[in-house]
Amino acid sequence: RASIPIRIDMTKPLAGLVGDGDNLEDIGCQRSCKTVSAHWQGFQDHESDIIKYEWAVGLQPYASNVLPFAVADFSAGYSKAFLDSSSVAKIVNNDVLYSTIRATNAAGLTSEATSDGVRMLCEEIQGCPFSLETVCI
């Protein structure tokens, strides 16, 4: 009988970096509360590979109180969501939204990383003190 080695993965994936916006450069603020986007890179698992990414958006780091975790496009490395009225209702002008990416490996173990946040300068929200000339840094 030939013996077949079995590899058991008991380690979670290594977390990567998460940025705000759909480009590779992190954005600090945006002027619309109708969409939110994030990009990520550097998540790794050397034992059993990453099989799924999930994305959530919250009002605090690692939170999911604006958009709950949902499966993200594995191959793209970024996600964009159009916010429905119930999600927009949770956002107040000048809030900071944080995107969190959860990576799952083939053993079902997970790791998470969160962005540094994007300030929402929402001009479609009544009473917004910001004008179109407001500079996002």
Side-chain angles (χ1 to χ4, degrees), residues 2-137:
S3 62
I4 300 172
I6 297 174
R7 178 183 283 179
I8 299 174
D9 186 352
M10 296 179 18
T11 60
K12 62 184 182 177
L14 298 173
L17 300 173
V18 180
D20 301 294
D22 54 7
N23 295 318
L24 289 179
E25 291 189 31
D26 189 46
I27 61 172
C29 68
Q30 69 180 47
R31 292 188 179 92
S32 173
C33 286
K34 294 180 181 175
T35 63
V36 65
S37 56
H39 59 274
W40 61 93
Q41 62 184 3
F43 287 81
Q44 301 175 37
D45 193 292
H46 299 293
E47 289 83 24
S48 65
D49 295 328
I50 295 173
I51 61 166
K52 177 173 65 174
Y53 288 105
E54 295 169 283
W55 174 45
V57 178
L59 292 166
Q60 299 86 25
Y62 297 97
S64 58
N65 54 347
V66 174
L67 288 176
F69 277 101
V71 174
D73 183 351
F74 186 87
S75 63
Y78 72 91
S79 278
K80 183 174 188 172
F82 292 93
L83 300 175
D84 61 20
S85 58
S86 65
S87 295
V88 171
K90 298 173 187 175
I91 303 168
V92 176
N93 188 57
N94 216 29
D95 272 349
V96 177
L97 296 185
Y98 299 87
S99 287
T100 300
I101 298 296
R102 177 189 296 155
T104 303
N105 67 15
L109 303 171
T110 64
S111 64
E112 294 179 358
T114 195
S115 69
D116 62 356
V118 59
R119 186 163 305 278
M120 305 299 280
L121 306 179
C122 308
E123 294 172 1
E124 59 267 5
I125 292 178
Q126 285 186 325
C128 175
F130 299 98
S131 69
L132 287 174
E133 290 77 37
T134 301
V135 177
C136 292
I137 300 172

